[in-house]
Amino acid sequence: MNSHDDGEPGSRPAWRERAALPPLGALRCFEAAARLGSFTRAAQELHLTHGAISRAVRSIEDALGLALFERRNQRVHLTAAGACLRDAAAGAFELLAATVRELREPPHKPALVVSCEPTLLMRWLIPRLPAFQAAHPGIALQWSAGGGPVGFGEVDLAIRRNDFAWGRDAHAQHLFDERIGPVCSPAYRAAHVGGAGRNARFSADVCLLHSATRAGAWDEWARAARRKRPAAAMQQTFEHFYFSLQAAAAGVGVAIGPWQLVRDEIESGVLTAPLGFVADGSAYYLLSPAPARAGSPAALLAQWLRAQA
């Protein structure tokens, strides 16, 4: 077997098969003429002369020993062989065009996977994401709802309140301090809250709303505000924090609302905060496995988050 041969013994080498193909330029002329049904229109599309198209097609016919077009009444019509070659050539050129487009396009950057506590993600972050996309259209983000310890093998960044120990392996960037206060609907306030500010008082029939995921919220507020926790006639507990806030907006009772989570509802008048907000000593941080490089997507996201807060 010759050392320059390719493939199985007795087979024709692949390079010889490729060498037997008609020239690419001739195939391009044929494909255009076959697709458009006209040598003249093909010449116009490819910015060639009618004679150049005709010679290219003739060269393929001579190489194959087959007629690709029938010329009748000053028009050209594909033969069965011509139709077969047209389909193959069209598919080949489409594949080439798609490959060239992919090569010219910059590689897609992987999305930055960010974990965020569900209520913060739902009520504060998502309404503001269009602003981030407008400011940084080249940064792709993938959001994941979660809380507590972070597995950096699954996520790149995490937004967490410092109510647990995240360990020395996590790099933390401060985003904003937590401020909390009782919130309710304007109608509920009118019926169950007297006065305003430090002089505001809850009526004896007030209903306090609690969350199982932040069960000590009322006690945390009482300590931070240096006030007594209201003696409530009724109490209701919801599984998630955002349910208690939704119940407050619906007029069910009074919930403890962190400022960042209720600021949009306060500004729109859906919720009111009769006693204002106080810092409870906690804060939110952006956690990462290592410090973010200046100008990196993680650094730009941290900067934007602080600006939003």
Side-chain angles (χ1 to χ4, degrees):
M1 179 177 177
N2 190 298
S3 61
H4 295 288
D5 286 345
D6 299 320
E8 298 297 327
S11 66
R12 189 173 185 181
W15 65 269
R16 290 184 179 174
E17 293 290 350
R18 287 193 291 270
L21 289 173
L24 184 63
L27 283 173
R28 192 55 165 154
C29 292
F30 162 75
E31 187 277 334
R35 172 167 43 84
L36 298 172
S38 167
F39 284 19
T40 300
R41 292 171 61 189
Q44 293 171 347
E45 179 179 284
L46 300 178
H47 303 289
L48 297 172
T49 65
H50 183 283
I53 300 295
S54 181
R55 286 191 297 272
V57 172
R58 176 65 66 184
S59 69
I60 299 175
E61 290 179 325
D62 291 343
L64 296 177
L66 295 169
L68 301 177
F69 289 96
E70 292 180 353
R71 296 156 179 83
R72 302 193 306 266
N73 301 324
Q74 297 183 340
R75 293 179 62 89
V76 292
H77 302 272
L78 283 169
T79 64
C84 183
L85 184 60
R86 174 202 58 194
D87 295 341
F93 282 119
E94 287 177 6
L95 179 59
L96 281 171
T99 302
V100 169
R101 284 194 300 269
E102 291 179 4
L103 292 174
R104 285 176 173 169
E105 291 177 357
H108 294 292
K109 296 180 180 179
L112 198 64
V113 181
V114 187
S115 172
C116 183
E117 295 182 356
T119 308
L120 187 67
L121 177 61
M122 180 184 300
R123 298 180 67 92
W124 183 68
L125 261 175
I126 289 178
R128 290 164 174 78
L129 284 182
F132 179 83
Q133 293 172 339
H136 304 287
I139 300 178
L141 298 177
Q142 178 179 328
W143 293 95
S144 171
V150 182
F152 285 114
E154 300 176 355
V155 301
D156 300 307
L157 303 169
I159 301 172
R160 293 291 189 269
R161 181 169 167 255
N162 62 343
D163 55 357
F164 70 99
W166 46 64
R168 296 181 179 179
D169 294 336
H171 176 75
Q173 299 182 69
H174 178 267
L175 296 179
F176 56 84
D177 294 328
E178 182 80 297
R179 292 194 300 138
I180 58 176
V183 296
C184 59
S185 70
Y188 196 88
R189 174 178 180 170
H192 299 278
V193 184
R198 294 296 302 177
N199 297 322
R201 293 291 183 271
F202 295 104
S203 64
D205 61 346
V206 70
C207 176
L208 299 188
L209 307 177
H210 303 273
S211 165
T213 56
R214 201 159 166 176
W218 273 102
D219 292 330
E220 293 170 4
W221 168 79
R223 286 193 297 269
R226 298 180 181 179
R227 298 180 65 119
K228 290 184 179 180
R229 174 175 160 174
M234 295 179 291
Q235 301 190 51
Q236 290 195 38
T237 300
F238 296 85
E239 182 179 4
H240 293 292
F241 203 36
Y242 49 81
F243 290 156
S244 66
L245 296 178
Q246 189 65 31
V252 177
V254 184
I256 292 297
W259 162 244
Q260 297 292 356
L261 304 189
V262 299
R263 55 186 287 187
D264 293 342
E265 285 80 359
I266 295 290
E267 292 172 3
S268 66
V270 174
L271 287 173
T272 180
L275 279 71
F277 296 86
V278 294
D280 69 355
S282 66
Y284 277 87
Y285 290 81
L286 181 65
L287 306 181
S288 59
R293 176 176 50 83
S296 67
L300 293 173
L301 176 62
Q303 180 182 359
W304 179 82
L305 288 169
R306 286 193 295 268
Q308 296 303 306

